[in-house]
Amino acid sequence: MTRMLLTGNGAAAWGARLAGIEYLPAFPITPQTEIIETIAKWIDFGELDCRMTTLDSEHSMITAAGGAAVTGVRVFTATSSQGLLYAMEMLYTTAGWRAPFVLVNVSRGLASPITLEPDHNDILAARDSGFLQLHCATCQEVLDGILLAYRMAEDGRVRLPVIVNLDGFYLSFTREPVEVPAAAAVARFLPPFDAQNLGFRAGAPLSEAVAVLGGSPYSYFRYQHHLAALNAEAVFEESAVAFARCFGRSYQAVEAYRCDDAELVFVMLGSFATKAKAAVDCLREAGQAVGLLRPLLLRPFPAAALRRALAGKQGVAVIDQNLSPGKGGVLYTELASALYGQADSNPMLVSFIGGLGGRDISAEEFYEMAAVTRRAAAEGQAPEPRLLYAEAELCEIKKWQAIAQVQRAKEGQP
Amino acid sequence: MSETRFQTMKDLPSCHLLGTGTALCAGCGGLEALHEIYDILGEKTVVVNAAGCMTLLAVYPFTPFRGSWLYTAMASAPAGAQGVRDALDILLAKGRLTAEEDLQTVVLTGDGAAYGMGLSATSGAIERGLDFLYLCYDNEGYGNTGQQYSGATPHGARTATSKGPCGYPGYKKDLFAIWAAHRPAYVATVVGAEPLDLARKIEQAKNRQGPRLILSLAPCPTGWDFDPSETAQIGRLAVQTGVWPLKEYRDGQVVHTKVPQKRLPVEDYLKRQGRFAHLFQPQRNEALLQEIQARIDAYWDNLQS
Amino acid sequence: MYRIRFHGRGGQGMKTASRILGTAFFNEGFEVQDAPRYGAERRGAPIFAYVRAARRAIYERGVIRHPDLVIVADETLVAMPAAAVLQGVDAHCVVLIHSREPAPVWQHRLNLAGPVVILPLAEEREDRLALRQIGTACAAAAARLVGVVAWTALEQALRDELAALGDALVEANLGPARRVYDFLSPQQGCVAPGPVVAAEGYVRPDWVELAFEDARVSAPAIHAALTSEQVQTGQWRTLRPVIDCARCKGCWWVCSTFCPDGAIQVDESGRPRIDYAHCKGCMVCAAQCPHHAIEAIPEQDAPPAEDERGAK
Ligand SMILES: Cc1ncc(C[n+]2csc(CCOP(=O)(O)OP(=O)(O)O)c2C)c(N)n1
Ligand code: SF4
Ligand code: SF4
Ligand code: SF4
Ligand SMILES: [Mg+2]
């Protein structure tokens, strides 16, 4: 094992390399490209025995990934934002094939307006695709998450593709110390791909991914897919135990930070959750009983674990780095549905939208979200969802609008 | 073509490999071509399919294939073939698959996918030199969705989205030329109604490596509106009138494999199909008929010069 | 509410029948729902369409489970399980069959508790016009049997629904429709609107807990070859190709090569054999045989084929 400074993209490449990937269908997109460049270099210089093919699009890339996985090799691929959406048809399709492979998504806000910076709308658009989802908070987790993802994907109780998600810029381009395990240790944790009854070969006819006619067979196949996804939570827990034994780092489906005695809890996904951790520490120092819950697993949704962790809490601030226009935060909705209708846990849920398109969330904002949530819990009434957006930002926009309209008036009138 | 094992009609296969019992229309010209082709390619194949009529060949739990099949989506069958081929090569290289177990990768799509949505994926597969055989059955429209016009629809044809008095205003795209411009290993046009020509070309394609692309006219009784018994006749008329030139691209050259010595008037072909009925009724659309004929004549005149 | 189901083959105009009847009801001031079962409709393959009509808003949707009237445009469908012609038919439901055989024969054969009405099969005319007229005739029959659709409402519906085919075709259809409508006047009103499924004393659905199954079995994949041969597409056929052994010269098996479905195999002695379990009756073989050795015989007139029962 070596400890080295790696970006999130570097950690993703190392995860793939250690997993012994055999095939990499690829297509460039910022902020993911560095992953495929890194792996391409290893391949070119003989450090990794893997075949890489650059396709004409992400739609083609995911098709090739699924095609190779059902032919029986270990497949890795990566994309981001527009690419993930361009591939969307094939996400659903290859998941329905029950093709086990791992896709890294580097989260980036979606057009329009087109941007390079991160939020979670891309990955949440794939929420119902049938892929499992791991949401990473650190570069270490990116590497480890890929190894865990292969264990889940290839387990006979699951056999589904998995997306490992990391935030653009905040992880993808940010270097942190990462423990890179030795290949031999990884080989003990992750045996070679067992393709089960997958694979095209002469003498073993296989018609894969065939059509169905009628709702009955369709319901059967879709629900089996769902049951397999549900199984993945137990498989994750098992794999995490094995992982801890091999590498000494332990993971839970939901990371709980100073939650046991907390009255108020932040709930959020991804790398900004470490900012919440910092805020929790400061709030604790200020005498407030605040904790953090961070689902590492989003699909399957660890509803029971979240319920257990939130039982008896006064208030929960759900911070969504995404926006479903006309509805609000997606994680908030997911959490509310997990808590509702339960006899014993009814903490006050307050919804915050922040970090869209890479907008930062400051420490003060975390403190204020705690205060708002505490007040709501005391009053028994949740406020309207709050967008984290400051006066100064609005002033800036007003200035830009003036410029934009001056420009238009100039062109429009002779 | 002395190297062929298909010297005369007698050499054509009399036993057929593709299973019966599929959901395709009675008299389907695409299926006619596919079964002739499958006879020659054989069961050591994995057929990667895009959305279209042929998707209904395999409906759970029924498949007509002796070998393998993978349905993908409308746009990306060539990419699916890439993934499968790459994986087979990896398995071969690592000794997890024996040479005897290896398969030919075959892409099977309609014209809608081939001329339009899947063109980017096809272009990519050719430029990467993918070792595969692409078979497009060209029924000149989006057949599975009810025969709307596609990039392959001929000028003047009535489709579900061109029902006006002049039919489809556009012109059929020259996919053969587009494919050939990529300089792949082999390109050919075929039709099920000319089985000997077809067999020789599939034999050619089978024995080559790299991207090999076959464009088959697929008379479609349902979409073109003719009696199913006329499928073969209409296919043959397409050749005899010069509407469907039988040709191949190999080693950088385009060769016509069957030049109609005396071309029949295109009307003979058009008249038999309901999709062109408006060219004759209630009155003859002389201008349009002449235009269609002139374009065919120009094609063949160009060849001579 | 009236619930009417039309069963026929792709190409026989069942969708048109349902639309004509739907429009006729609509012209009579009814609330209406009409739809074909959507899916891959292939010429010759069994398909159905249905109509609901009521004096108040219709909340039911989808396939009719408890019909009041079932119309069978093609009697050969009755014996075909895949066509599900008799699904939900009970003593209340009227069954109208387009057939040469009389009602008592069908009543007995199918062991039906409810009434059977026969629409006599017209003389064989296997042209496309005749095919379209089957649909129109079925719509006219249904209109008469429910008894609440006047000829004027039906005629208008027919004109509206067939308008796109041109005046000549509309006129060609009106005559036969009128004849059917008149012919069935003794049975006017024999179809009564059926009840809804009561919420009291209903039969509980037999829901199961769907248990997890390994992807080895629960993925939509077929680990076998040629299973499609278990599908009897021979049942689509309305015309049967019959090879006249005397005339067949055992050429280079033109018929076998051109048969789109590969339903003609050549045996050891070099003779073509048609697989009637799967032959769809397209007649490409008959049109292509250079020696005119293949004849087309209407299915109804043909004796049961040897290998029709099992897969080949
Ligand atoms: C992305 C996408 N868009 C649209 C469709 C609907 N669709 C299914 S088959 C088809 C027609 C395909 O046309 P073609 O490739 O010519 O094949 P054909 O149906 O004629 O056999 C269409 C449009 C689809 N399946 N996927
Ligand atoms: S619509 Fe045309 S191409 Fe499609 S199955 Fe029917 S005949 Fe064949
Ligand atoms: S085409 Fe006619 S002559 Fe030739 S084998 Fe068939 S039936 Fe016999
Ligand atoms: S009619 Fe002839 S060509 Fe058509 S399916 Fe039957 S055997 Fe084949
Ligand atoms: Mg088409």
Side-chain angles (χ1 to χ4, degrees):
Chain A
M1 180 174 335
T2 23
R3 199 153 185 272
M4 56 173 105
L5 280 176
L6 283 179
T7 60
N9 283 343
W14 266 103
R17 172 175 173 158
L18 290 168
I21 61 163
E22 298 174 288
Y23 186 48
L24 171 70
F27 197 84
I29 184 168
T30 305
Q32 167 279 123
T33 314
E34 190 188 351
I35 300 175
I36 57 170
E37 286 173 351
T38 306
I39 298 177
K41 196 181 77 196
W42 289 334
I43 295 172
D44 286 346
F45 291 90
E47 290 176 52
L48 181 62
D49 182 15
C50 172
R51 178 187 282 246
M52 172 171 159
T53 300
T54 300
L55 286 109
D56 64 293
S57 72
E58 291 84 354
H59 186 280
S60 283
M61 177 184 91
I62 298 295
T63 311
V70 297
T71 308
V73 300
R74 186 171 278 164
V75 180
F76 175 82
T77 185
T79 190
S80 175
S81 64
Q82 307 305 124
L84 190 71
L85 262 73
Y86 199 72
M88 191 61 75
E89 180 188 27
M90 297 320 292
L91 296 185
Y92 280 72
T93 302
T94 55
W97 295 356
R98 308 292 300 275
F101 64 96
V102 173
L103 163 65
V104 161
N105 182 64
V106 184
S107 258
R108 168 181 149 190
L110 293 171
S112 286
I114 183 92
T115 180
L116 290 174
E117 292 184 66
D119 69 30
H120 295 156
N121 259 105
D122 59 351
I123 181 66
L124 291 175
R127 184 189 65 174
D128 303 334
S129 65
F131 271 64
L132 308 179
Q133 290 194 4
L134 283 173
H135 287 246
C136 302
T138 64
C139 295
Q140 183 71 57
E141 248 179 56
V142 172
L143 190 157
D144 295 349
I146 289 170
L147 301 180
L148 284 162
Y150 276 107
R151 280 274 293 239
M152 285 158 75
E154 295 171 4
D155 192 289
R157 292 161 290 177
V158 180
R159 220 182 85 184
L160 286 172
V162 184
I163 299 179
V164 175
N165 196 67
L166 60 134
D167 291 320
F169 294 82
Y170 292 97
L171 288 185
S172 70
F173 298 160
T174 304
R175 290 207 311 165
E176 292 176 351
V178 174
E179 302 217 336
V180 179
V186 174
R188 278 193 297 279
F189 172 72
L190 184 67
F193 180 33
D194 168 14
Q196 303 176 16
N197 65 345
L198 290 173
F200 298 111
R201 63 206 62 210
L206 168 60
S207 289
E208 183 68 70
V210 300
V212 295
L213 291 177
S216 258
Y218 185 80
S219 303
Y220 172 83
F221 290 120
R222 291 295 287 178
Y223 207 78
Q224 286 297 337
H225 185 160
H226 172 59
L227 292 173
L230 290 179
N231 281 350
E233 190 171 345
V235 172
F236 173 84
E237 305 283 0
E238 273 175 35
S239 309
V241 170
F243 190 92
R245 218 180 300 124
C246 286
F247 308 111
R249 290 184 295 281
S250 52
Y251 290 103
Q252 256 98 47
V254 180
E255 184 197 13
Y257 182 70
R258 302 183 82 167
C259 259
D260 285 348
D261 62 338
E263 293 163 357
L264 302 181
V265 177
F266 294 122
V267 177
M268 61 191 305
L269 294 169
S271 65
F272 271 24
T274 60
K275 287 167 168 284
K277 264 188 191 172
V280 164
D281 287 345
C282 293
L283 285 161
R284 287 271 176 179
E285 264 167 46
Q288 297 196 39
V290 179
L292 163 74
L293 277 185
R294 178 182 65 89
L296 171 59
L297 210 55
L298 192 77
R299 281 293 178 274
F301 191 64
L306 286 164
R307 259 183 232 130
R308 268 195 310 276
L310 291 176
K313 304 300 179 205
Q314 291 172 17
V316 179
V318 187
I319 305 162
D320 270 291
Q321 282 173 266
N322 67 80
L323 183 59
S324 170
K327 175 63 177 78
V330 173
L331 184 59
Y332 169 76
T333 311
E334 295 255 303
L335 187 62
S337 75
L339 297 179
Y340 195 82
Q342 300 295 319
D344 52 354
S345 70
N346 53 351
M348 172 61 61
L349 284 193
V350 184
S351 169
F352 298 92
I353 310 288
L356 296 185
R359 180 202 181 271
D360 201 7
I361 301 178
S362 67
E364 293 85 343
E365 287 181 313
F366 280 103
Y367 307 153
E368 186 60 16
M369 286 189 274
V372 169
T373 304
R374 186 179 297 285
R375 218 157 37 235
E379 289 166 4
Q381 171 66 51
E384 286 296 305
R386 147 79 56 201
L387 175 71
L388 307 187
Y389 204 71
E391 180 76 37
E393 291 171 281
L394 186 59
C395 283
E396 190 71 8
I397 279 286
K398 288 289 152 201
K399 276 191 229 155
W400 288 358
Q401 278 178 342
I403 297 169
Q405 283 171 27
V406 163
Q407 201 60 31
R408 196 164 114 206
K410 264 190 198 158
E411 284 167 10
Q413 285 153 27
Chain B
M1 277 210 203
S2 52
E3 70 271 41
T4 179
R5 76 179 159 100
F6 300 106
Q7 295 292 345
T8 73
M9 299 288 200
K10 281 272 183 205
D11 301 325
L12 292 174
S14 58
C15 285
H16 306 304
L17 300 180
L18 191 68
T20 51
T22 63
L24 274 68
C25 302
C28 174
L31 187 58
E32 183 174 73
L34 179 67
H35 102 84
E36 292 173 14
I37 290 167
Y38 200 67
D39 279 346
I40 295 163
L41 289 181
E43 63 193 66
K44 280 188 159 192
T45 43
V46 49
V47 177
V48 185
N49 171 243
C53 285
M54 295 281 180
T55 300
L56 292 180
L57 283 173
V59 176
Y60 194 85
F62 304 115
T63 179
F65 292 98
R66 283 168 198 262
S68 287
W69 164 268
L70 172 66
Y71 168 67
T72 56
M74 191 167 163
S76 57
Q82 179 83 50
V84 170
R85 183 66 262 161
D86 283 344
L88 289 170
D89 287 344
I90 291 166
L91 293 171
L92 280 168
K94 295 190 171 179
R96 275 143 65 194
L97 190 83
T98 63
E100 294 75 57
E101 288 174 315
D102 193 17
L103 301 171
Q104 280 255 8
T105 319
V106 180
V107 164
L108 175 67
T109 84
D111 50 285
Y115 285 70
M117 200 189 274
L119 194 47
S120 148
T122 312
S123 180
I126 305 174
E127 91 204 13
R128 291 185 299 269
L130 178 64
D131 183 27
F132 78 131
L133 193 149
Y134 191 130
L135 169 61
C136 167
Y137 59 99
D138 183 354
N139 62 4
E140 307 194 318
Y142 299 122
N144 195 42
T145 42
Q147 196 69 6
Q148 299 77 23
Y149 63 76
S150 74
T153 301
H155 187 56
R158 188 195 65 216
T159 69
T161 42
S162 58
K163 288 193 165 169
C166 294
Y168 176 58
Y171 295 87
K172 190 178 175 79
K173 213 188 275 185
D174 189 353
L175 186 61
F176 179 92
I178 295 169
W179 279 351
H182 288 75
R183 308 195 148 270
Y186 188 70
V187 188
T189 59
V190 300
V191 61
E194 294 288 353
L196 192 59
D197 178 78
L198 176 146
R200 289 171 179 164
K201 286 171 174 167
I202 302 304
E203 184 190 36
Q204 271 293 326
K206 188 182 177 182
N207 295 333
R208 284 167 185 254
Q209 288 230 320
R212 294 145 291 157
L213 302 100
I214 307 289
L215 186 54
S216 174
L217 186 68
C220 167
T222 311
W224 298 5
D225 193 12
F226 60 80
D227 190 86
S229 64
E230 296 185 37
T231 291
Q233 226 160 333
I234 287 182
R236 208 171 299 122
L237 277 169
V239 175
Q240 291 165 343
T241 55
V243 165
W244 189 253
L246 292 173
K247 52 187 169 181
E248 56 187 359
Y249 166 92
R250 51 199 275 201
D251 312 319
Q253 298 290 322
V254 176
V255 179
H256 283 69
T257 54
K258 194 154 189 156
V259 181
Q261 283 319 314
K262 207 170 166 314
R263 279 197 310 282
L264 297 177
V266 69
E267 272 185 43
D268 291 7
Y269 171 72
L270 304 176
K271 261 194 306 222
R272 305 185 87 103
Q273 306 172 45
R275 64 174 173 157
F276 295 112
H278 56 286
L279 301 188
F280 303 97
Q281 286 158 357
Q283 63 264 346
R284 284 175 63 87
N285 187 335
E286 209 56 64
L288 196 44
L289 285 168
Q290 269 174 25
E291 185 195 344
I292 294 171
Q293 185 66 62
R295 281 179 176 268
I296 294 167
D297 295 343
Y299 175 89
W300 293 99
D301 291 348
N302 258 343
L303 273 189
Q304 250 111 66
S305 56
Chain C
M1 186 193 308
Y2 290 104
R3 301 172 181 86
I4 298 149
R5 222 167 54 206
F6 293 92
H7 290 268
R9 293 173 180 277
Q12 285 179 332
M14 292 301 100
K15 179 178 171 188
T16 311
S18 71
R19 291 177 64 109
I20 293 172
L21 184 65
T23 302
F25 268 119
F26 185 70
N27 291 345
E28 289 287 6
F30 279 79
E31 296 296 316
V32 172
Q33 236 184 40
D34 64 55
R37 182 208 44 184
Y38 87 94
E41 287 173 35
R42 301 300 187 203
R43 200 186 306 216
I47 67 146
F48 64 91
Y50 51 87
V51 178
R52 289 188 175 87
R55 288 292 179 190
R56 52 199 172 87
I58 298 173
Y59 298 140
E60 279 185 14
R61 251 183 219 297
V63 172
I64 290 174
R65 290 165 175 275
H66 304 284
D68 310 313
L69 170 61
V70 164
I71 296 201
V72 188
D74 188 319
E75 59 182 347
T76 58
L77 294 174
V78 177
M80 201 188 292
V85 169
L86 296 179
Q87 196 166 63
V89 170
D90 58 11
H92 156 84
C93 177
V94 176
V95 177
L96 179 127
I97 309 179
H98 192 213
S99 172
R100 274 189 210 141
E101 291 178 294
V105 168
W106 282 109
Q107 197 113 36
H108 179 76
R109 184 180 294 159
L110 304 179
N111 195 18
L112 289 177
V116 173
V117 178
I118 296 298
L119 180 62
L121 208 59
E123 271 314 292
E124 265 341 300
R125 270 210 294 141
E126 267 300 334
D127 57 16
R128 272 185 256 168
L129 180 66
L131 277 179
R132 267 184 191 133
Q133 284 170 355
I134 296 175
T136 336
C138 288
R144 180 59 103 181
L145 296 185
V146 294
V148 293
V149 178
W151 171 253
T152 47
L154 181 64
E155 182 185 344
Q156 192 52 52
L158 221 143
R159 289 186 183 282
D160 290 350
E161 293 301 329
L162 299 182
L165 302 176
D167 291 342
L169 245 154
V170 171
E171 295 307 324
N173 275 277
L174 276 172
R178 178 79 218 197
R179 278 196 293 284
V180 168
Y181 192 79
D182 291 344
F183 174 79
L184 291 174
S185 77
Q187 278 95 348
Q188 158 138 6
C190 72
V191 173
V196 296
V197 178
E200 222 166 70
Y202 68 95
V203 182
R204 286 180 61 191
D206 54 348
W207 287 341
V208 293
E209 288 308 323
L210 192 59
F212 167 77
E213 293 186 277
D214 194 290
R216 266 173 274 225
V217 295
S218 69
I222 306 164
H223 296 268
L226 298 179
T227 50
S228 65
E229 302 203 334
Q230 293 172 41
V231 182
Q232 309 273 298
T233 44
Q235 295 175 334
W236 298 12
R237 210 166 50 230
T238 52
L239 284 177
R240 178 185 301 182
V242 176
I243 300 176
D244 178 348
C245 294
R247 263 187 286 171
C248 167
K249 296 281 181 294
C251 63
W252 52 274
W253 312 296
V254 174
C255 52
S256 172
T257 301
F258 286 129
C259 169
D261 283 90
I264 305 181
Q265 299 285 353
V266 180
D267 66 18
E268 305 81 50
S269 60
R271 291 285 152 186
R273 254 180 78 85
I274 297 178
D275 165 13
Y276 288 113
H278 299 104
C279 156
K280 293 172 183 164
C282 66
M283 293 302 144
V284 165
C285 55
Q288 292 304 313
C289 171
H291 301 285
H292 307 286
I294 305 179
E295 229 184 315
I297 300 178
E299 254 327 291
Q300 291 99 328
D301 304 341
E306 263 292 289
D307 52 355
E308 202 154 17
R309 274 165 293 269
K312 62 179 181 191

